[in-house]
Amino acid sequence: MPRWEPGGRERLVVAAVDLFTEQGYDATTVAEIAERAGVTRSTFFRHFSDKREVLVAGQESLSRLLVEGVAEAPPGATPLEAVAEGLARASGAMGPLNRELGPRLRAAVAASAELQERDALKSVGMAAAVTGALVERGVPDAAAHLAAEMGVLAFKLGYARWSEGDRAEDEPLAPHTAAALQELVAASASLS
């Protein structure tokens, strides 16, 4: 087995998602993931602390991109306009592999209470990061929290629609997250 090959992290993610889908999260070992990815166990642990972490591999990057987009929104932008900028920035980083893995990843998470918990923590972490970026812009706490939660939900809804959509269409994620945010804004207006 080669000591190093490019794309090891991505291969580990694909291998883990495939194995979790095929045989379940609990039945899958780190050794099996590493073997399927064509890397050693030590390579696995250079990238991830445990098998749960494979499913949140991009959380830090995603949160960073959301925050950068919010921070770089025009000075007069409303909280939701700033969130839309964050969604556009984060969505732009998602490519064909992200789209391909979406349905399988959702199936693996749905089949495991442990993964559902980890997925919920991922959402909380992203919302906290966006809330902080909005507060830095001077948005009051309550509005910042609400806008951030709507942004995270819009990302999740848009990503689900994009990844389950027609693969023949080579479309970016951004229009889906933007549309989801608009739907949520309209839905929230109908609550009063």
Side-chain angles (χ1 to χ4, degrees):
M1 186 176 303
R3 290 183 54 81
W4 182 86
E5 265 187 59
R9 183 176 178 89
E10 292 79 12
R11 288 196 325 273
L12 284 164
V13 171
V14 171
V17 170
D18 286 345
L19 286 166
F20 294 163
T21 303
E22 293 167 15
Q23 61 191 32
Y25 172 76
D26 291 330
T28 301
T29 67
V30 167
E32 290 172 320
I33 295 168
E35 182 179 333
R36 172 82 60 103
V39 300
T40 64
R41 279 177 46 100
S42 61
T43 298
F44 177 93
F45 287 113
R46 273 197 296 275
H47 292 287
F48 305 105
S49 60
D50 60 34
K51 66 182 183 178
R52 281 178 308 174
E53 293 303 309
V54 174
L55 296 182
V56 292
Q59 177 185 351
E60 289 177 19
S61 296
L62 186 58
S63 292
R64 180 183 45 76
L65 291 166
L66 286 165
V67 166
E68 287 173 359
V70 168
E72 294 173 8
T78 67
L80 286 175
E81 289 169 343
V83 166
E85 292 291 328
L87 288 172
R89 170 75 62 93
S91 297
M94 304 295 268
L97 178 61
N98 302 103
R99 189 174 191 188
E100 177 189 327
L101 289 178
R104 291 184 283 168
L105 185 57
R106 272 190 301 287
V109 169
S112 168
E114 186 175 348
L115 294 180
Q116 291 170 23
E117 180 181 314
R118 188 64 184 101
D119 188 57
L121 289 173
K122 173 183 169 182
S123 295
V124 168
M126 289 189 325
V130 174
T131 298
L134 289 167
V135 168
E136 283 289 316
R137 290 179 61 87
V139 177
D141 282 347
H145 282 284
L146 181 58
E149 292 290 344
M150 287 177 73
V152 170
L153 183 54
F155 186 85
K156 290 176 88 169
L157 290 171
Y159 178 73
R161 292 172 184 163
W162 176 67
S163 65
E164 292 171 358
D166 183 5
R167 299 253 187 257
E169 295 181 29
D170 187 25
E171 62 184 342
L173 171 58
H176 293 274
T177 58
L181 183 60
Q182 290 174 350
E183 288 175 35
L184 291 171
V185 169
S188 67
S190 71
L191 295 176
S192 56

